Amino acid sequence: MSSSDCRPDYPLSSDLVKRLKSALDARDEEAVSTVICTQVRHVDTVIELANDDWMKDPAVQLPPGVLLGNQDPSPLLLDQVSRDASVVLETDKEELSGLWTLEYKRELTSPLCIAAARGHTASVRHLLGRGANPDASPGGRGPLHEACLGAHTACAQLLLQHRADPDLLSAEGLAPLHLCRTAASLGCAQALLEHGASVHRVGGAGRDTPLHVAAQHGLDEHARLYLGRGARVDARNGRGETALSAACGTALRPDEQERGLRLCALLLRHGAAANARDEDERSPLHKACGHARPSLALLLLQHGADPAAVDYGGSSPLARVLQAASCAPQAASARTVQALLNHGSPTVWPDAFPKVLKTCAPAPAVVEVLFNSYPQLRVSESWRKVIPAEVFQAHQPFYRSLLALAGSPRSLKHLCRCAIRRQLGTKGFLAPLLPLPEALHSYLLLEPEGVLH
């Protein structure tokens, strides 16, 4: 029976639910524990905490925000949805100019699910002692799912000791390991594996393995745990991604990026393919460059990632970082471009440079690194028109030096740099091994100076 058909023992309008919701809203943990442990008729009772079932009455006024965009659904479609309140119709707003969504939300739960979700170890022990079913999931997720999602290790261990199924699938097809999504949930993951959970379990619409989930959230310790239990490092999910590909495609906060880098290094040490392509023919390097992560891009290049790879959209890793340069930190974008060019990435077709200038103008360091990868590039006075006035004003020394090269040859020093780089070919990163002053090493590696000569 689906949750939409289930008759709760305590519906939303009941006094018990009102008391429970009041305690939850007030974050009164003692009151929550009292309600679920002493005021329900039986331990596996079904409690309704939310119900947005507005579609059961076709005449009801629609909630604000339910219909979005300028594309109205047909009366026939509305009638169809009114007959099935659990239907969710959603269009992809990237594919259609109008977006409209009809969504029905109902939240059913149980005392054990509430206790596990909030980390009430004593309440979980009490309910299990009274015979609560550790696998009951009236709302689609069981108590073990809730404990893992909240990273409550003690609750997870109690449930597993009472024979909770470590591989129980939720309504979304997710096992508890798929819900170990934070660093704090490592203890839950360890407990699940000790009780027989599978590291190979595929789950959810994305058909991710637990290793994919760890990769998507930058969880290096989880990944180490799963690999130690035999997780396949190059298993593919429903989008054709390996764990390395998923890790490189995740936008991490600055404080998470070091952990994400350790994770990718771990996967590579375990044999992850640096050039594995997903369903869009994007490699891990494409994704790292799309997020302007220079340390990660360099790591992949050091493990043989192909800087010339092209995805289905015709973009190379260099194109991906240039597309992101206007919104990514300038230093990160410039260092990513440097890493690619120093490992033999093809540069941009000269005639397309004005387009790059238009896109990357707010990041002059990116423009400088790329410009210096050409022995000679014909500069036109018309380039001034593609640089926004406020950007030109903010970076006058650089852009004046760029436009001053119109009709002028580059310096002999620069031409020598290009000749040496041409000899090094795809191994430009070896420039520091040459018997030259350190300042020239930086010059050969295209370190930006802030002006052009």
Side-chain angles (χ1 to χ4, degrees), residues 157-244:
Q157 289 173 331
L158 270 173
L159 291 162
L160 289 163
Q161 290 163 9
H162 282 77
R163 300 184 181 281
D165 182 355
D167 281 329
L168 180 70
L169 295 181
S170 69
E172 296 176 322
L174 299 173
L177 268 182
H178 293 117
L179 298 179
C180 293
R181 299 172 176 170
T182 63
S185 69
L186 181 62
C188 292
Q190 290 171 326
L192 287 165
L193 292 173
E194 287 167 4
H195 284 80
S198 172
V199 290
H200 307 303
R201 176 76 64 180
V202 170
R207 299 191 60 76
D208 292 315
T209 66
L211 186 59
H212 282 100
V213 175
Q216 290 159 2
H217 293 85
L219 302 176
D220 59 320
E221 290 301 323
H222 286 65
R224 191 184 311 278
L225 176 66
Y226 301 153
L227 290 166
R229 294 299 184 107
R232 293 186 292 272
V233 73
D234 277 335
R236 305 275 180 155
N237 63 13
R239 297 174 296 279
E241 296 175 310
T242 62
L244 179 62

Side-chain angles (χ1 to χ4, degrees), residues 17-29:
V17 172
K18 290 177 181 177
R19 291 196 299 275
L20 179 59
K21 287 175 73 69
S22 176
L24 290 169
D25 292 342
R27 300 182 182 275
D28 188 337
E29 304 299 331

